[in-house]
Amino acid sequence: EMNALVQILSHKSLYARTSFKARAKGLHIVVCGHVTASSVTGFLQEFYHEDHGNTDMMVVLLHPLTPTYDMQRILKSPKYSNRIKF
């Protein structure tokens, strides 16, 4: 039975098993819809622009599919890796 469970979990994306727990005093925003690497890049650049004061806020991206290679690059970038969750 344990082998069957391991096999089932191995077929699911790492991102499908990821959860988000809000920080004690931190705010977050949830982004969903047509989420692409291009749209997310533009959104993050604008959202985290110093004029807006959102530098401490987390962004949670909801999408039913595994992120593309380009989206993974954004998620792992030093600029955003601690600020976004997919």
Side-chain angles (χ1 to χ4, degrees), residues 20-83:
F20 172 74
K21 185 172 181 175
R23 299 179 206 153
K25 294 184 180 183
L27 298 174
H28 65 278
I29 184 170
V30 176
V31 177
C32 57
H34 187 67
V35 179
T36 65
S38 175
S39 65
V40 167
T41 298
F43 173 78
L44 292 174
Q45 288 173 345
E46 182 65 26
F47 186 76
Y48 286 121
H49 192 275
E50 60 188 34
D51 291 349
H52 301 299
N54 295 325
T55 57
D56 294 335
M57 194 176 296
M58 283 289 293
V59 172
V60 179
L61 302 171
L62 296 182
H63 195 274
L65 302 175
T66 301
T68 64
Y69 173 76
D70 290 335
M71 182 69 78
Q72 288 181 32
R73 285 182 44 216
I74 296 167
L75 297 171
K76 295 175 182 176
S77 74
K79 187 174 184 178
Y80 299 121
S81 64
N82 292 327
R83 298 177 176 185

